[in-house]
Amino acid sequence: MRALRILLVVVVVLGGLFVLADRLAVNFAEGEVADKVKANEGLATTPDVSIKGFPFLTQVVGGSLDDVELGIKDYQAATGANGRTIRIDDLQADMKGVDFSSDFSSATASSATGTASITYAELLKTAKSEPTRVIQGVTANVVGLSDGGNGKIKVAVQATVLGTKLPQPVYVLSTVTVEGDTVRVHADSLPSFGGVRAAENEVRSITDFQQKIDKLPGGIKLDKVVAAKDGVEISVKGSNVRLAG
């Protein structure tokens, strides 16, 4: 009986040491991957990396991680326009089947899904900020974006008619969609400005706009977009996503 107790104590101690070693190893690996992603993507801050699954050490032996979560705050995504970028407030990605080298210098996920968010203030920068002629005597420009409910964006358009600025903006509900690497905002119906109506193409040159979002981390792509309370929420996905190397 005494020998059995001793054996149980030894098993418990060894198990505790294994768990401790496993957690220390995963913390080290998370730091290494985070540093590699920061350098690879040219990030200003170190991203959050969380390696899921237990035990970690057996995954290391197999050279593949089951599940890695990546979080990046304030990511500056390329827009393809004169070096301009657009700020993504919160990019979260869940990577599955991550194969890596022994020193974590390279890591590639077989698949990835995630979310990203862009504030209305940031998206507004892509709309026409300077008044543009809609029709003779009428100029207009987008001055605000907000949640229109039911997945719509409410677009505020300020107009000036015959030199007089209208006291209130005109509001239109718009649909937001993703086409390839581009977010598009398209008015559901066209407004009139002080009772003045213009040709559809002239009005849409003001109300409708688009924003290209390119070179997301690891080559993940835009999938879907929906209007939310504080901005647009974007779903992303990808395959053979490169975290490092």
Side-chain angles (χ1 to χ4, degrees), residues 61-79:
V61 172
S64 181
L65 303 176
D66 298 333
D67 189 355
V68 177
E69 293 181 356
L70 175 69
I72 302 175
K73 302 291 186 182
D74 297 331
Y75 180 77
Q76 298 293 328
T79 64

Side-chain angles (χ1 to χ4, degrees), residues 60-171:
V60 171
V61 172
S64 181
L65 303 176
D66 298 333
D67 189 355
V68 177
E69 293 181 356
L70 175 69
I72 302 175
K73 302 291 186 182
D74 297 331
Y75 180 77
Q76 298 293 328
T79 64
N82 300 321
R84 288 174 52 198
T85 61
I86 184 169
R87 189 181 76 250
I88 296 177
D89 279 354
D90 190 12
L91 176 62
Q92 300 287 331
D94 187 9
M95 315 285 187
K96 302 293 187 181
V98 181
D99 294 330
F100 60 92
S101 61
S102 59
D103 62 352
F104 298 102
S105 61
S106 65
T108 303
S110 61
S111 65
T113 56
T115 59
S117 60
I118 301 175
T119 65
Y120 287 125
E122 189 71 11
L123 190 60
L124 180 62
K125 296 177 183 179
T126 69
K128 292 186 181 297
S129 58
E130 296 299 324
T132 300
R133 193 182 82 162
V134 177
I135 195 173
Q136 185 66 36
V138 178
T139 61
N141 64 296
V142 175
V143 294
L145 302 175
S146 59
D147 180 20
N150 297 318
K152 302 290 185 179
I153 293 179
K154 183 164 70 172
V155 180
V157 182
Q158 183 65 61
T160 298
V161 179
L162 300 176
T164 300
K165 184 178 180 179
L166 297 184
Q168 297 293 333
V170 176
Y171 294 96

Side-chain angles (χ1 to χ4, degrees), residues 163-245:
T164 300
K165 184 178 180 179
L166 297 184
Q168 297 293 333
V170 176
Y171 294 96
V172 294
L173 290 179
S174 298
T175 298
V176 57
T177 58
V178 163
E179 294 181 22
D181 61 1
T182 302
V183 174
R184 299 183 185 278
V185 178
H186 181 85
D188 294 351
S189 60
L190 300 179
S192 64
F193 305 103
V196 179
R197 289 195 172 274
E200 178 175 350
N201 63 327
E202 297 293 342
V203 178
R204 289 200 179 279
S205 70
I206 306 298
T207 61
D208 296 7
F209 57 94
Q210 62 187 41
Q211 175 62 67
K212 182 177 180 180
I213 300 176
D214 196 13
K215 296 181 179 178
L216 292 174
I220 56 178
K221 303 294 184 182
L222 304 182
D223 184 25
K224 299 176 182 178
V225 63
V226 64
K229 180 181 178 181
D230 300 315
V232 293
E233 301 291 340
I234 299 171
S235 299
V236 297
K237 65 179 182 179
S239 57
N240 297 321
V241 176
R242 179 172 49 85
L243 279 76

